[in-house]
Structure formats: structure tokens, C-alpha cells
Amino acid sequence: MEFTPVIGLEVHAQLKTRTKIFCSCSTAFGAPPNTHTCPVCLGMPGVLPVLNKKVVDYTIKMALATHCTVQAESRFARKNYFYPDLPKGYQISQYELPIATDGYLDIEVGGSSLRIGITRIHMEEDAGKLIHDPDRPFSRVDLNRTGVPLMEIVSEPDIRSPEAAGEYLRQLRAILRYLDISDGNMEEGSFRCDANVSIMPEGSSAFGTRAEVKNLNSFKHVEKAIYYEMARQKEILLDGGQVVQETRLWQPDNGRTVSMRGKEDAHDYRYFPDPDLLPLVIDPDWIECMRAQMPELPADRQVRYMKDYGLSSDDARVLTGSRELADYFEACLSEFDQPKTIANWVMGDLLGLLNARGLDIIDSPVSPTSLTGLLKLLDAEVISGKIAKTVFEAMAETGQPPETIVEKKGLVQVSDASAIDPIVDGIIADHPDEVERYRSGQKKLISFFVGQVMKQTKGKANPKVVNEILEKKLG
Ligand code: ADP
Ligand code: MG
Ligand code: ZN
């Protein structure tokens, strides 16, 4: 019996505001423990929270980017629970009336387009950080992170494969970064995801019981954890058992999930409207003001690349995958007007190089000016295609401009027939058998002769000229 997974994702994105959500403490990362704190974020009695307007600005932008309805009135609520990283004993969040609802995100998986519903987006505060020291009989707490603004984005259970889950997350993160409202860094925890996973028999439409998986700190792990859950739940069901609704912890070291706690129900938290905060009223002007500030988003940029530059949808999607990569591509275009050539080099050689070295595009050792300089030399037939690869590698190694490398290493292409003629003559004289076979009809042998010339000229001969001379002489 085959099963289909049903997946819904809850994403927490840390917002890049200068100060916290309800006080003016700094959100800067890396300060000594407990130095970015004040009575408000420490939860002292009698203090009053004041909402940071930027948090609302950013959330409205995200809501617009994901086609959500921004609610004219929303509310903050207290989510009550006890834990040492939460000094107030409750987290200020939004519950019954979130700021945005009913949106969607279109993603592409395996060549087809999928629309993933977004149930809601709400704002909340982050908790502190517990530091467990294995050598000591106690833990410590750093409250610098307490009150840092988070945006939670909850998807509908519309996702049907681990790959689609990964793609949804990548899209979401790309949008956050295009909007410049979150770093979206999973490894560093500014972009966190809980995956809700259930399975149902193929063809069925009745959802099974879900497990919620936490501690997913990379895209790879999200996909792996979902695969693991699918297999685990399938085994239970085939054994005649029942999946328990619970929260499970992903263990990256052994690639398994383990039960963490029974799933708490909403009523366990005793949510109630926070009496210290007024209802949040957003008038249409505020929304329009945010709309006017929206940058071009990845989906629009992709369409523009297809329309204006004639790129395929796959190429356009890769290039617009991050704002920095798209900016790099456009910087190249402003210096060299051949979109397809640039796209091929950026996606092939450049991304290959960055992957191999584990670098981001902003740290690329080859600048747009260097790359387009190389393409110009190639276009003007100063260097051959083969030599271009060598020059590219040298640019990556040394950071030198292509012109310098070509000159220093003497890589200029030889197109002068009088220089190539004698080499061709020599090769013809050395290979009487091949010449014989060529003349008796094995025309494919031309590439053998071209190869010989290239070998002798160390790839510098102009292949077009070589071909012409060979054809003439072999006749
Ligand atoms: P909670 O806040 O208690 O985790 P929510 O109702 O907010 O619960 O749902 C959390 C997530 O679980 C949502 O992303 C939703 O799409 C997903 N979900 C709901 N039912 C299922 C199911 N049967 N299988 C997989 N995911 C589900
Ligand atoms: Mg949840
Ligand atoms: Zn504070």
C-alpha cells in the first residue's frame, strides 16, 4: 500500500529591526549575555510594552508579498507557559486575530507549478536562550534575545513532498531577503521551521494524524526529517498501529526523530488578549504606503528575465533565486549585452566555483567586471573558448583581471593562417594513415586533426581558422 504525505510548515523569521518588538533594547547579535535588556524585556512587574512600528511595517510587506489580506484590526494575545527562557511567564503573540490571513505562494517543483496556501502571518516576541554546560550541574540563560521580533508564517497542509517543502522554504526565504526584513539564515536561527507531517493512503483525501517536527536547522535536514517521518508513520500504519499526535525532535546526528512531548492543545496555553496592548488598527493608507515601498520580488524578476532577456524559466528562476545573484547578473549585463552567454557562465562556471569553495555570491572572487571582461575577449576572438576556461580559473585563483592573465600567460588566440599553416602541414605529414582514411570518406576524422593542432598550440589556435585550413589541405 502506498501513502501520500501531507505537510504543513510553520516558519519563524527573525525580523531585522534595530530594536526589540516592545522595548528599545538593541537586537544586535553577539553582545555579552544579558546586556541588551531592560525592565520591559526582563518582564519586571508593572512595566508596559510599546509596539515597534517597524515590526508592523515589515509584516505588512511580507503579507503583501504572499498575497495575504492585511486585517484592519488585529490583537496581541498572551500565550502562557513556564520556561526559564521566558521571564514573564507568557509570550506576547497573536492568536485569534492575526495581522494577516489567507495568502499563497506559487512554487515550482519538478517542472510543475504548485500553489501553497498561507493560513496566517502573525507577530510575536522571541524568548531568551538557555546555555547548557555539560561540565556543570546548572544551565545559564541569556536574555538578549528576549523580545526580538519574530514573524510566524503558517502554511496550509498543501505540501505533498519533501522536495516541495524545501522549495516552499527557499521561496519564502528569498522573499524575506528581497524585502530586506530578515537574514533568513537557518543555520544561525534567524529562519526556523517546524514541519507538520502526516500520511494518508494514496488516493484518499482524509488526512492522517500529524507529528510536529522541531529542530530543523537546514533545508537538507527539513527534507530528510520529512522522509524519515513518512517512513516511520508508514511502518506504524502497516503494522496496524496508530500515529500519535505529538511534538518530535529531529536528531541530525543519527537522522531520526524522537518523541519530545505530547502535542499541547491551544487551550493549554490559556491564550487571552493582552490587556497592556491596544488592538492594532491598520488603515488602508498604511498598507498603500508599504505597497509603494515594495521592491521587485523574485517571481516578477523571473518573468522579466524571461520576457526581456529571452531566458528559459529554469534559468530565470536560478538567477533570481537570491537578490544578490540577480544583482550580480544585472551588473554583468550592464557591461556586456549578451544575457544568454552571461547566464550560462554565471550558472555554470561561477556557481560551480562558489559551490566548490562554499562561498556566497557577494564574496565571489570573480567580479562582474572581470567576468564580462573575459566574455568580451572571447567574443572578440582574442581568446578561444578553451582558453577562456583557463583564464576563468586563473581569475578565481588570483583575482586578477582577465586582460592581465591573458597577456602575462601569452594566451592570445592565434588566428593568423600563416602561423597555423606549417603546423597543419606537419600533422598531415605525420599521420598518413588518417589522411588516407579521411580522403576515402571518413570525414569525422576532421576532429582528430583539429585536436592535434590544438594540442600543439596548447589550445591557442582559433578553431574556425584551423578547420578552414584543414579542409582546404585535406581536400
Ligand atoms: P499548532 O499551532 O498547534 O501547531 P495549527 O493548527 O496552527 O497547529 O497547525 C500547524 C500546522 O499543521 C499548519 O501548518 C497546518 O497546515 C499543519 N497541519 C494541520 N493538519 C495537518 C495534517 N493532518 N498533516 C500535516 N500537517 C497538518
Ligand atoms: Mg505548531
Ligand atoms: Zn528591553
Side-chain angles (χ1 to χ4, degrees), residues 176-407:
L176 290 166
R177 289 186 172 175
Y178 267 71
L179 292 172
D180 200 20
I181 60 176
S182 171
D183 290 335
N185 192 319
M186 261 190 138
E187 287 78 7
E188 288 172 11
S190 57
F191 185 81
R192 300 169 222 157
C193 166
D194 300 339
N196 294 270
V197 185
S198 64
I199 59 171
M200 59 184 179
E202 214 158 70
S204 159
S205 57
F207 293 173
T209 306
R210 71 186 147 118
E212 181 183 30
V213 185
K214 290 188 178 288
N215 194 37
L216 304 168
N217 56 9
S218 79
F219 289 102
K220 213 54 272 130
H221 284 303
V222 172
E223 293 186 25
K224 279 192 188 167
I226 295 173
Y227 270 117
Y228 179 83
E229 266 309 299
M230 285 159 59
R232 184 186 71 86
Q233 295 180 16
K234 181 174 169 180
E235 201 175 307
I236 293 173
L237 295 184
L238 290 180
D239 270 0
Q242 282 190 332
V243 174
V244 214
Q245 184 168 336
E246 61 182 353
T247 301
R248 297 181 68 87
L249 188 75
W250 169 246
Q251 298 188 314
D253 297 338
N254 63 18
R256 294 184 190 165
T257 65
V258 291
S259 179
M260 205 172 134
R261 57 173 184 248
K263 175 88 188 118
E264 59 296 298
D265 279 318
H267 64 248
D268 295 330
Y269 288 121
R270 297 291 190 270
Y271 278 101
F272 66 91
D274 192 311
D276 288 344
L277 286 153
L278 289 167
L280 173 63
V281 175
I282 297 173
D283 59 34
D285 286 352
W286 191 350
I287 300 172
E288 287 322 305
C289 175
M290 290 304 116
R291 201 191 302 278
Q293 290 177 19
M294 298 282 281
E296 185 182 35
L297 292 171
D300 303 323
R301 212 165 183 178
Q302 187 187 342
V303 170
R304 178 163 67 83
Y305 281 16
M306 292 162 66
K307 223 175 75 204
D308 292 0
Y309 307 140
L311 298 180
S312 71
S313 84
D314 278 348
D315 291 358
R317 185 151 44 88
V318 172
L319 291 171
T320 56
S322 83
R323 188 175 181 166
E324 292 78 14
L325 185 63
D327 288 346
Y328 185 101
F329 173 73
E330 289 181 28
C332 290
L333 260 184
S334 68
E335 301 194 38
F336 185 63
D337 191 24
Q338 293 194 17
K340 280 188 188 162
T341 310
I342 296 173
N344 288 339
W345 277 82
V346 168
M347 291 186 304
D349 300 83
L350 184 69
L351 287 186
L353 167 79
L354 298 178
N355 275 340
R357 295 211 195 157
L359 292 176
D360 277 337
I361 184 74
I362 43 168
D363 304 316
S364 170
V366 178
S367 68
T369 307
S370 288
L371 181 61
T372 50
L374 177 69
L375 301 183
K376 285 178 200 165
L377 293 175
L378 187 58
D379 191 52
E381 299 191 9
V382 174
I383 55 170
S384 66
K386 192 158 177 289
I387 292 294
K389 304 275 173 190
T390 314
V391 178
F392 181 83
E393 275 163 31
M395 294 196 304
E397 281 313 311
T398 64
Q400 284 176 331
E403 299 79 9
T404 313
I405 293 166
V406 169
E407 202 189 290

Side-chain angles (χ1 to χ4, degrees), residues 15-63:
L15 296 176
K16 262 168 78 170
T17 53
R18 214 169 41 78
T19 58
K20 293 186 180 181
I21 183 170
F22 297 119
C23 63
S24 55
C25 289
S26 165
T27 55
F29 188 76
N34 300 307
T35 53
H36 290 173
T37 52
C38 73
V40 173
C41 55
L42 290 177
M44 299 292 171
V47 295
L48 288 174
V50 177
L51 178 60
N52 180 344
K53 180 168 177 289
K54 272 273 182 274
V55 174
V56 183
D57 287 351
Y58 288 2
T59 312
I60 292 174
K61 285 185 179 174
M62 190 61 187

Side-chain angles (χ1 to χ4, degrees), residues 6-12 66 68 102-105 107 115-122 152-160 164-165 168-169 172 193-197 207 210:
V6 172
I7 303 157
L9 301 176
E10 295 165 86
V11 167
H12 286 91
T66 52
C68 285
D102 284 325
Y104 63 84
L105 196 62
I107 60 168
R115 177 159 291 186
I116 310 300
I118 289 178
T119 317
R120 56 186 280 155
I121 300 181
H122 70 248
E152 177 167 344
I153 305 155
V154 181
S155 89
E156 288 288 299
D158 287 346
I159 302 169
R160 292 288 177 276
Y168 168 83
L169 291 175
L172 217 52
C193 166
D194 300 339
N196 294 270
V197 185
F207 293 173
R210 71 186 147 118

